[in-house]
Amino acid sequence: MLYSIEFEKPKINNLNEVTQNFTNAILEIANITIGQTIFSGKNPPVPWWNSHCNESIKSKKTAFNKFKRTKSQDDFIEFKKRRAQTRRTIKDSKTTSWRAYTSSINSKANPKQIWNKIKAFKCINKYDNIQILKNENDTIYSEPSEIANELGSFFSKASSTESYPLYFQRHKCAQEIVPINPCQNHDNTHINSPLTIQEMETSLSSKKSNACGIDNIPTIFLLNLPKNGKLYLLKIFN
């Protein structure tokens, strides 16, 4: 679909529509080729989990529910057998997955990705919610809305003008009262020169986070666009 886009420079009065069409094209292709999953956040995903683990746990639960109904000694023994089998299945899955991963590590491996994988094996979730927050006045907050408001107030104060050094505040006030001539031609300045494809790729590749923005497009999607897709994106920026 991206190959069918005509690379005419988008018109200013139609820029929002052009951007939305481009975004929709990327998301549609991603849904067709990759698909989309929703993570509930209740349990951190682990790399060693597979269908055998699911089947084994399901079998154990079935045996346990049967034992609860019958209270039979035979059903209790069967439940203990399946529980032992489940533990063995999970242990074997962990071992196999760990050996497969460690054998794939080489000298070019990214240390950050290695540690993230180790944390995943240990079921360490780095996205745990903040349960309790204490501010500088020793006030304790436990409600999510209170914690969010307190964090917002803290970052707002940290980025406000009052947090700047006094000399910078004076310089800021002096510069803000200088009138700006909107008719002055700045087209020849470097800051207003068109963005190049190299500059755009450098900026995209410097992004360390794969989190999506409000358009639900992660940076890695833009980095892996075909050449004509990148050229079209560049024309939107310019």
Side-chain angles (χ1 to χ4, degrees), residues 180-217:
I180 299 176
N181 184 6
C183 298
Q184 186 177 357
N185 186 4
H186 295 283
D187 291 340
N188 295 326
T189 59
H190 178 71
I191 194 172
N192 287 318
S193 60
L195 185 68
T196 65
I197 187 69
Q198 291 80 11
E199 290 172 335
M200 185 183 72
E201 289 180 339
T202 300
S203 178
L204 291 174
S205 60
S206 65
K207 297 286 291 183
K208 296 182 179 180
S209 174
N210 290 326
C212 301
I214 58 175
D215 55 5
N216 292 325
I217 298 178

Side-chain angles (χ1 to χ4, degrees), residues 41-54:
K42 294 181 180 180
N43 296 311
V46 288
W48 46 264
W49 195 267
N50 53 37
S51 59
H52 297 293
C53 297
N54 281 329

Side-chain angles (χ1 to χ4, degrees), residues 2-233:
L2 287 177
Y3 289 95
S4 64
I5 296 177
E6 296 180 0
F7 299 122
E8 297 179 358
K9 189 172 183 179
K11 298 179 180 180
I12 297 300
N13 58 357
N14 201 28
L15 185 58
N16 290 336
E17 182 180 350
V18 171
T19 304
Q20 188 61 49
N21 291 338
F22 184 73
T23 301
N24 293 339
I26 295 178
L27 294 177
E28 184 176 349
I29 293 174
N31 286 330
I32 294 174
T33 57
I34 302 174
Q36 186 177 16
T37 58
I38 299 176
F39 174 54
S40 64
K42 294 181 180 180
N43 296 311
V46 288
W48 46 264
W49 195 267
N50 53 37
S51 59
H52 297 293
C53 297
N54 281 329
E55 294 173 359
S56 184
I57 289 179
K58 184 178 179 180
S59 176
K60 181 193 70 172
K61 289 182 178 179
T62 301
F64 179 66
N65 291 332
K66 183 178 180 181
F67 165 68
K68 285 198 303 182
R69 292 193 308 269
T70 63
K71 304 296 182 181
S72 168
Q73 184 69 19
D74 293 337
D75 290 337
F76 179 66
I77 294 174
E78 181 64 23
F79 161 67
K80 292 183 67 176
K81 287 181 179 179
R82 295 191 184 185
R83 183 176 62 180
Q85 291 173 355
T86 300
R87 291 173 177 172
R88 183 65 182 178
T89 299
I90 292 177
K91 183 178 180 180
D92 291 344
S93 179
K94 287 181 178 180
T95 303
T96 303
S97 181
W98 176 252
R99 288 177 178 174
Y101 175 68
T102 53
S103 62
S104 66
I105 299 176
N106 53 42
S107 59
K108 297 181 180 180
N110 189 327
K112 181 180 179 181
Q113 294 179 354
I114 293 176
W115 282 111
N116 287 340
K117 183 67 72 171
I118 292 174
K119 290 179 180 179
F121 273 101
K122 292 184 176 181
C123 302
I124 299 176
N125 187 6
K126 62 180 180 179
Y127 300 110
D128 287 338
N129 295 329
I130 299 176
Q131 303 296 330
I132 297 177
L133 180 69
K134 183 170 69 172
N135 64 6
E136 56 187 6
N137 297 324
D138 292 335
T139 303
I140 298 177
Y141 301 95
S142 58
E143 292 295 328
S145 58
E146 295 177 343
I147 294 175
N149 290 332
E150 187 64 22
L151 289 174
S153 299
F154 174 81
F155 289 116
S156 175
K157 181 179 178 181
S159 59
S160 65
T161 304
E162 287 73 15
S163 64
Y164 296 145
L166 187 59
Y167 73 90
F168 182 79
Q169 293 184 35
R170 290 196 293 264
H171 174 74
K172 180 175 180 292
C173 293
Q175 292 299 315
E176 286 177 344
I177 62 176
V178 176
I180 299 176
N181 184 6
C183 298
Q184 186 177 357
N185 186 4
H186 295 283
D187 291 340
N188 295 326
T189 59
H190 178 71
I191 194 172
N192 287 318
S193 60
L195 185 68
T196 65
I197 187 69
Q198 291 80 11
E199 290 172 335
M200 185 183 72
E201 289 180 339
T202 300
S203 178
L204 291 174
S205 60
S206 65
K207 297 286 291 183
K208 296 182 179 180
S209 174
N210 290 326
C212 301
I214 58 175
D215 55 5
N216 292 325
I217 298 178
T219 307
I220 193 171
F221 281 13
L222 302 180
L223 280 172
N224 288 279
L225 284 174
K227 184 177 180 180
N228 57 346
K230 290 182 179 179
L231 290 174
Y232 192 77
L233 178 62

